[in-house]
Amino acid sequence: SNQTEQLRRKLMISVKGENVPSPVLSFASCNLPQKLLQNLEETGFEMPTPVQMQAIPAALVGKNLLVSAETGSGKTCSFLVPLICYCAKISSELPQDQKKPLAMVLAPTRELCIQVEEQAKLLGKGLPFKTALVVGGDAMAGQLYRIQQGISLIVGTPGRLIDLLTKHDIELDSISMLVIDEVDCMLERGFHEQLMQIYRALSVPQVLMYSATIPTEVEKMANSMVKELTVISIGKPNK
Ligand code: ADP
Ligand code: MG
């Protein structure tokens, strides 16, 4: 609608795609679990940033996203909120011994994975939502054990994940959401084939891709992965 367009223009949000929900002006209007709202507040996230205002409602209705926004704009929270919502909902219906990974976040470096997992723990506190870190530098046995204990989210680097997946039989069919963070950086580092390998092993219904910029290769890869892609760009004047 006209109102949506005005709001997007004001927030410098540009959107390509069909039936994308309007930006939300508060976390409270996203219909999130009460506990998640409380955790956002306790983390100091009182108001959503523009990328969160648009990407959260779009992800919550199941859109495949390619999101670009500059570094420091709050992209992590914008994928963790829908992901925690989904995991907490499904996980609460399963007994502990039947809990399986429901979502995966791929990031290019160990440090970034640690940061993402830390924020996931803060925002998911008190919800049926556990995380496992799969990165180089720590023993694989411990990471495998952690996954087998019944976690909801795997956060890892592509290299270590492929290493783990090729050596061990891990249940992946249960994973329904895949986030690829810093896609531009991933492609620069030559992770394209590894990303596709993980993507094919998962066959997830929803993919969220995040990038500071959208070079042609990034848009190409995104379009090759999913049929209906919604592209959200923050900070560029609306066309
Ligand atoms: P990006 O991934 O876009 O580079 P981050 O997700 O790392 O950005 O977030 C940058 C900083 O902003 C972090 O310190 C994060 O805690 C903070 N932040 C994110 N969302 C909010 C918010 N809604 N309110 C206040 N601070 C936020
Ligand atoms: Mg980031």
Side-chain angles (χ1 to χ4, degrees):
S1 71
N2 229 350
Q3 226 173 344
T4 300
E5 275 170 39
Q6 267 179 22
L7 184 56
R8 285 191 181 134
R9 202 167 307 131
K10 198 170 121 200
L11 296 164
M12 300 239 277
I13 298 172
S14 130
V15 171
K16 270 195 274 179
E18 306 271 296
N19 303 320
V20 183
S22 298
V24 291
L25 295 174
S26 69
F27 290 116
S29 51
C30 294
N31 209 359
L32 307 176
Q34 195 53 42
K35 191 74 193 120
L36 178 51
L37 277 180
Q38 194 183 323
N39 292 343
L40 282 161
E41 205 177 307
E42 278 172 20
T43 309
F45 297 0
E46 297 197 348
M47 275 265 299
T49 66
V51 68
Q52 292 159 10
M53 289 177 181
Q54 183 60 79
I56 292 172
L60 284 174
V61 297
K63 298 287 182 191
N64 291 307
L65 302 183
L66 174 57
V67 181
S68 76
E70 65 179 354
T71 303
S73 56
K75 295 191 286 296
T76 316
C77 166
S78 86
F79 60 74
L80 285 177
V81 165
L83 195 151
I84 291 169
C85 252
Y86 172 74
C87 290
K89 180 171 177 284
I90 304 294
S91 191
S92 68
E93 293 157 4
L94 298 171
Q96 185 59 38
D97 63 349
Q98 282 174 37
K99 290 198 200 304
K100 288 171 184 152
L102 300 170
M104 182 182 278
V105 175
L106 300 174
T109 65
R110 172 192 158 86
E111 291 68 34
L112 198 62
C113 287
I114 292 171
Q115 283 174 27
V116 169
E117 199 209 15
E118 263 167 21
Q119 194 173 125
K121 281 183 189 157
L122 281 176
L123 297 179
K125 202 179 56 173
L127 287 159
F129 172 77
K130 289 192 177 134
T131 61
L133 195 60
V134 179
V135 296
D138 299 327
M140 202 185 279
Q143 297 173 352
L144 183 65
Y145 179 74
R146 174 87 189 148
I147 293 173
Q148 288 163 342
Q149 293 316 293
I151 49 90
S152 298
L153 171 67
I154 298 176
V155 181
T157 51
R160 174 49 82 98
L161 265 163
I162 287 177
D163 206 14
L164 184 78
L165 298 180
T166 48
K167 287 182 185 139
H168 303 277
D169 201 21
I170 294 170
E171 159 88 62
L172 297 174
D173 293 349
S174 50
I175 296 183
S176 291
M177 289 179 81
L178 173 66
V179 175
I180 309 178
D181 198 13
E182 306 215 349
V183 190
D184 46 357
C185 171
M186 294 264 210
L187 295 190
E188 270 168 36
R189 285 166 176 254
F191 280 137
H192 184 270
E193 200 30 59
Q194 290 182 324
L195 289 177
M196 293 310 289
Q197 194 182 334
I198 295 171
Y199 174 72
R200 285 191 297 263
L202 296 181
S203 72
V204 281
Q206 191 180 13
V207 184
L208 311 177
M209 284 169 273
Y210 282 80
S211 212
T213 58
I214 307 186
T216 323
E217 316 84 76
V218 169
E219 194 151 9
K220 256 193 203 159
M221 189 189 74
N223 278 303
S224 79
M225 278 188 178
V226 297
K227 264 197 236 111
E228 273 181 50
L229 184 68
T230 297
V231 184
I232 297 173
S233 316
I234 312 294
K236 278 164 229 149
N238 220 333
K239 272 173 267 171

